[in-house]
């Protein structure tokens, strides 16, 4: 069973973290836009089964983490993650970020390199003018434009977060995610701040400065963050490995958790 940890950010905001039992180097999981720690639930058991030691944080303003008013750029969100790593271990941690969490993870590797042992970037991209853009209609669905409730907004988002074949075959998992979003809606100010940080994210020029060994994981049917973004990351980060998940959508770690966990475990052990 996971232990609950509270970490203070550099401005005093309380950050909530679930730390799963295990030995060895911690693996910090950073959620994406509007997501709480729950988003990684399908992945935890496969990671534990492979001897890994996952720790999952709530970004500021979501889940059980605190909030402070004002814009919070990627540099602040990365500093939050670095503070969590410092509380987990005196040594560097492995860092896995998904979607917006992958953007944060890039900034952790760039701005706090001493905190990162190995880096895993899932369903994310470089941002800026070099990013491969999603279809505007898919982005509108992701953001739940026109929805009248948090539940309706996330239901719209699931239409682009998952490959349609997977969604049709796994309605229970998707309904559970929708129900969690309905019970724990993200405050509008928090969502807007995260969205602004994501829009301003642009690491293309700096990606060659990432020194941590890096694995890039991406679904080929990702409508939110087209697979070309993962290919850019792998090309720009020195020595990065790219694994594409054929037929997987944006939340590839929901659709293929065992394969995803195996790729992560192989990489962290130096077998990949």
């Amino acid at each position: 069973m996971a232990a609950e940890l509270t970490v203070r950010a550099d401005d005093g905001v309380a950050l909530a973290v679930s730390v799963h039992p295990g030995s060895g180097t911690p693996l910090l999981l950073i959620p994406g836009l509007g997501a709480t720690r729950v988003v990684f639930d399908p992945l935890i058991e496969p990671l534990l089964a492979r001897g890994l030691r996952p720790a999952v944080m709530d970004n500021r303003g979501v889940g059980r983490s605190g909030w402070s008013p004002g814009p919070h750029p990627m540099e602040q969100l990365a500093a939050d993650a670095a503070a969590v790593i410092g509380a987990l271990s005196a040594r560097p941690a492995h860092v896995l970020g998904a979607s917006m969490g992958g953007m944060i993870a890039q900034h952790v590797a760039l701005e706090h390199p001493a905190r990162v042992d190995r880096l895993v970037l899932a369903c994310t991209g470089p941002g800026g003018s070099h990013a491969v853009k999603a279809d505007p209609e898919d982005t509108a669905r992701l953001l739940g434009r026109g929805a009248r409730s948090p539940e309706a907004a996330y239901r719209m988002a699931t239409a682009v977060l998952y490959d349609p074949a997977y969604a049709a075959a796994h309605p229970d998992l998707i309904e559970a995610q929708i129900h969690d979003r309905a019970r724990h809606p993200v405050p509008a100010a928090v969502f807007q701040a995260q969205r602004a940080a994501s829009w301003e994210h642009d690491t293309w020029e700096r990606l060659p400065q990432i020194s941590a060994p890096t694995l890039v994981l991406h679904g080929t049917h990702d409508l939110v963050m087209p697979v070309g973004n993962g290919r850019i990351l792998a090309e720009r980060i020195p020595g990065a490995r790219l694994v594409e998940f054929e037929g997987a959508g944006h939340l590839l770690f929901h659709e293929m958790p065992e394969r995803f966990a195996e790729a992560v475990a192989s990489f962290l052990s130096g077998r990949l």
Side-chain angles (χ1 to χ4, degrees):
M1 186 173 180
E4 292 294 311
L5 178 68
T6 299
V7 177
R8 292 288 172 181
D10 56 12
D11 60 354
V13 167
L15 303 170
V17 188
S18 297
V19 183
H20 293 266
S23 59
T25 303
L27 169 62
L28 177 63
L29 308 182
I30 308 176
L33 179 68
T36 69
R37 290 172 283 178
V38 170
V39 75
F40 286 117
D41 281 359
L43 187 59
I44 296 302
E45 286 303 324
L47 291 175
L48 290 172
R50 288 162 175 80
L52 300 179
R53 186 186 167 198
V56 193
M57 67 181 292
D58 280 333
N59 291 314
R60 60 172 59 213
V62 264
R64 296 188 179 181
S65 288
W67 173 251
S68 61
H72 296 292
M74 283 293 165
E75 290 78 7
Q76 177 65 69
L77 300 177
D80 291 350
V84 171
I85 294 171
L88 292 174
S89 174
R91 302 176 62 184
H94 303 312
V95 177
L96 188 162
S99 196
M100 186 195 78
M103 298 177 185
I104 297 171
Q106 291 171 54
H107 285 267
V108 177
L110 287 165
E111 291 141 29
H112 308 273
R115 296 287 195 187
V116 181
D117 189 339
R118 286 179 171 248
L119 178 67
V120 181
L121 302 175
C123 50
T124 191
S129 61
H130 293 89
V132 179
K133 305 298 184 184
D135 185 292
E137 292 186 5
D138 290 334
T139 299
R141 293 187 185 96
L142 174 70
L143 300 176
R145 288 178 183 162
R148 295 181 177 274
S149 69
E151 179 177 358
Y154 196 66
R155 190 173 297 279
M156 289 176 61
T158 59
V160 293
L161 288 172
Y162 297 95
D163 178 72
Y166 176 87
H170 298 85
D172 291 347
L173 182 146
I174 293 172
E175 286 298 325
Q177 293 288 323
I178 292 170
H179 181 64
D180 182 73
R181 287 290 185 107
R183 289 190 302 120
H184 304 103
V186 180
V190 176
F191 191 85
Q192 291 167 5
Q194 288 192 349
R195 184 182 170 199
S198 298
W199 280 113
E200 292 167 3
H201 164 75
D202 184 355
T203 53
W204 191 84
E205 290 283 356
R206 301 172 63 199
L207 288 173
Q209 300 172 24
I210 291 180
S211 58
T214 302
L215 174 66
V216 179
L217 304 175
H218 220 109
T220 60
H221 289 186
D222 191 335
L223 298 179
V224 174
M225 185 71 64
V227 65
N229 291 287
R231 293 167 183 166
I232 290 171
L233 294 177
E235 290 169 0
R236 296 284 293 168
I237 298 172
R241 302 294 302 272
L242 171 65
V243 177
E244 295 183 8
F245 290 64
E246 185 64 37
H250 188 61
L251 293 180
L252 68 162
F253 52 92
H254 284 188
E255 297 183 24
M256 301 180 181
E258 293 291 339
R259 185 183 168 200
F260 188 100
E262 182 58 30
V264 172
S266 296
F267 173 68
L268 297 185
S269 67
R271 292 183 282 118
L272 177 62

